[in-house]
Amino acid sequence: MRHINAEAGLPQECSAGASQEEEEEEEDEKDVCSSPVKDLEGEETISLEPVHFLQCHSKGNNRDDFKTQLWACVFEPPLDCGTRKDPVVSSSRTAATCGGDSVCLVDCETGIVLKKYKVAGEEFFTVTWTTLTMVTSDGRKKRHNVLAAAGRRGIVKLIHVAADYCYGEIKAHKKPIATACFSPITETHLFTASYDKKICVWDIGVPDCDYNFKERQLMVLETIATPLRIALVPSCPDRYLVAGCEQGCFAWDIRLDEKQQKNRPHEVEFQFPDDQGNETSSHRVDGLAFLNEDIVVSKSSKTGSINLWSWSRTFKEQGKGSRRTVQAVILAELEWSSTDLPYLTLSTCPTEEYVFCGDEKGSVWLYDLSNHLSALSATREDRATKRIGPSQVLKWPELKANGEPLTDVLVNNVVADPSFTYLVALTDVNIAAIWKKA
C-alpha cells in the first residue's frame, strides 16, 4: 500500500494493518502538492486539509496498479453511540471502502488500513453496515458491527469486523450487485439492487455463537432497467424505497403486508426536465440521496446540473393510482460539471446540510445548503428556476506515480462521515483521497 501525507507535502511510508487473506506489501512513495480550496460563491468556506492518499486496493499488491476502480465508501457506526438514530453521535473515523477484489477498513485519522478482505476473482461495487445484537457462548447479549459487501458475482459477503471473520455469504443474484443498503429501523433487513433488474429484500438473520445463520428473501422489487442507486425514504423507511436506474427514477411500496404480492412492480415513475425543458422519464439516474426527510438529491437528466426535489410534494400532489407517472416537484438545481460521463455519483451529509459530487477532472464539488433550505422548503413553484453554485471545489493535487504526474482522474464517489470531519473521495485510478476539516 502507498500512503502519502499531503498536508505536509512530504511523502512518508505507512504499513497496512492485518489482512484477512494476506499481508500488504510496503511500497514506494509518491510526491504530492496540495491545492487550496476554491471559494466560488463568496460565502464563508470551510477549511479542508488533504491528509492521506491511499493506494490500498491494488490487484496482487501491484505498486503500478493505477487502473483498479474504487466504487463505494461507508463510515462505520460506533457501537457505543447510544441511539443509532443520532447521526452526530454516530460519527466514526473508520471507513469501509471497496474496489477490485478487496474491501478495506481505513482509519481516516491516521491513514492506516486496519483490515483488508480479499476475494479472488471478485470485483466489489458496494459495502454497507449494520449493527446486530448477538448472543455469546455464555449467553450474554452484545452488539457487533457487521459489514456486507457485494459486487460482480452477485454474492453478498457478511463480515463480523471485530472478529476479523467473513462468517457467511448470500447468493442473492445471478448477475452483479450494483448497490446495497440496510434498513435504518430493522437491522437485519438488507436491500440488494442488481443488474438482473431486481431489488431483493432479505432478512439476513442474526448469527449464533457458532456463526450459524439463516437468510430469508422477503420480497422482490421488479425494475424496468438496471438499478444504480437506492434510498429508503427517511420519513417512512419501512414503506417506500426510491431507486435511480439506467432508464429512470422509481419508487416502490415495501410494506411487509401479507395481502401484497412478494414480487412487486414500481408504484411511481418520476419525470424530470431535460436539456430542452421537456419532461422525461427515460434517462439515467446515477446519483440519488436524501438531504433531509423530504428533499431528494438526484442526477442526471439535465447536463451540468443536479436536481433538488421534494418527496412529499411530488408524492402528495399527484393523487393516487397504480404504476403512475408523476412530475418531480423541483426546488432548485445545483450547478455541476458539464460532463456526460456516467456513474460519477453524489452523496449527502444531512446533519451539516451538504451535498458532494466528484467530476471527470478529479475535483470534488461541495454544496453548503444550510442557508438555502428554509427558502427552498417555502417555495410553492413546481419548477423552480433557482440555480445554486458550489460553495467550494477541491482540486485534485499534483500526485506523481513513478516520477510521472498522475492525471485524467475520475472521482467515482465522495463520502463524508456524519459529522463532516472527514471527506473521502474514491477514484478510477486506485486512489482513495482523504481530507480532514481543519
Side-chain angles (χ1 to χ4, degrees), residues 116-162:
K116 184 173 182 178
Y117 309 95
K118 299 188 71 174
V119 178
E122 179 64 281
E123 183 179 6
F124 287 105
F125 295 146
T126 184
V127 284
T128 182
W129 291 97
T130 191
T131 305
L132 301 180
T133 302
M134 303 181 187
V135 179
T136 62
S137 56
D138 58 2
R140 292 182 297 110
K141 291 183 178 180
K142 190 173 182 181
R143 292 176 66 76
H144 291 278
N145 282 336
V146 168
L147 184 68
R152 188 167 296 281
R153 288 182 169 182
I155 298 173
V156 178
K157 296 287 187 179
L158 299 173
I159 303 167
H160 181 194
V161 174

Side-chain angles (χ1 to χ4, degrees), residues 26 75 134 165 173 183-184 205 216 329 345 379 394 399 402 424:
E26 285 193 344
F75 279 82
M134 303 181 187
Y165 182 56
H173 300 268
S183 165
R216 184 166 56 100
V329 177
T345 195
T379 182
L394 302 176
L399 298 181
N402 301 324
V424 180

Side-chain angles (χ1 to χ4, degrees), residues 306 334-336 353-355 365-369 388-391:
I306 295 169
L334 303 181
E335 296 175 358
W336 184 65
E353 299 174 331
Y354 263 83
V355 174
W365 299 55
L366 293 80
Y367 305 86
D368 179 2
L369 300 179
I388 302 172
S391 26

Side-chain angles (χ1 to χ4, degrees), residues 348-415:
T348 60
C349 182
T351 53
E352 299 298 319
E353 299 174 331
Y354 263 83
V355 174
F356 312 101
C357 195
D359 70 11
E360 79 286 3
K361 298 179 181 178
S363 298
V364 176
W365 299 55
L366 293 80
Y367 305 86
D368 179 2
L369 300 179
S370 57
N371 295 326
H372 298 278
L373 291 187
S374 295
L376 292 180
S377 298
T379 182
R380 304 320 301 169
E381 299 178 35
D382 287 354
R383 281 290 175 270
T385 57
K386 183 176 180 61
R387 289 180 62 85
I388 302 172
S391 26
Q392 300 174 223
V393 174
L394 302 176
K395 295 295 185 181
W396 187 254
E398 298 176 5
L399 298 181
K400 290 185 179 179
N402 301 324
E404 298 295 325
L406 191 63
T407 57
D408 300 323
V409 176
L410 304 182
V411 177
N412 290 326
N413 204 343
V414 186
V415 177

Side-chain angles (χ1 to χ4, degrees), residues 37-113:
V37 166
K38 185 178 181 181
D39 180 355
L40 296 182
E41 288 277 290
E43 300 175 355
E44 182 180 350
T45 60
I46 61 172
S47 178
L48 288 163
E49 298 290 341
V51 289
H52 308 291
F53 290 81
L54 307 178
Q55 186 187 6
C56 53
H57 289 268
S58 300
K59 187 174 181 179
N61 289 329
N62 179 6
R63 61 187 295 272
D64 295 319
D65 178 3
F66 294 100
K67 295 182 178 180
T68 294
Q69 298 220 40
L70 310 186
W71 293 111
C73 173
V74 186
F75 279 82
E76 180 178 14
L79 292 169
D80 57 352
C81 64
T83 173
R84 292 178 61 212
K85 294 183 179 180
D86 185 344
V88 177
V89 177
S90 300
S91 188
S92 168
R93 73 185 212 182
T94 303
T97 60
C98 73
D101 63 3
S102 60
V103 174
C104 293
L105 258 66
V106 178
D107 183 332
C108 291
E109 180 66 27
T110 64
I112 294 175
V113 177

Side-chain angles (χ1 to χ4, degrees), residues 161-238:
V161 174
D164 202 13
Y165 182 56
C166 180
Y167 69 84
E169 65 180 32
I170 300 172
K171 295 179 180 178
H173 300 268
K174 293 182 179 180
K175 289 191 176 182
I177 296 173
T179 188
C181 72
F182 278 101
S183 165
I185 57 175
T186 307
E187 59 192 17
T188 60
H189 286 187
L190 173 67
F191 297 77
T192 57
S194 169
Y195 283 73
D196 63 10
K197 299 180 183 179
K198 292 181 175 65
I199 301 171
C200 291
V201 186
W202 304 87
D203 188 332
I204 67 168
V206 178
D208 61 21
C209 58
D210 296 318
Y211 289 104
N212 298 309
F213 76 102
K214 180 64 176 178
E215 79 278 6
R216 184 166 56 100
Q217 188 184 83
L218 302 176
M219 73 180 77
V220 177
L221 311 177
E222 298 170 343
T223 70
I224 63 173
T226 302
L228 303 172
R229 298 291 158 190
I230 57 177
L232 295 164
V233 178
S235 59
C236 48
D238 57 348

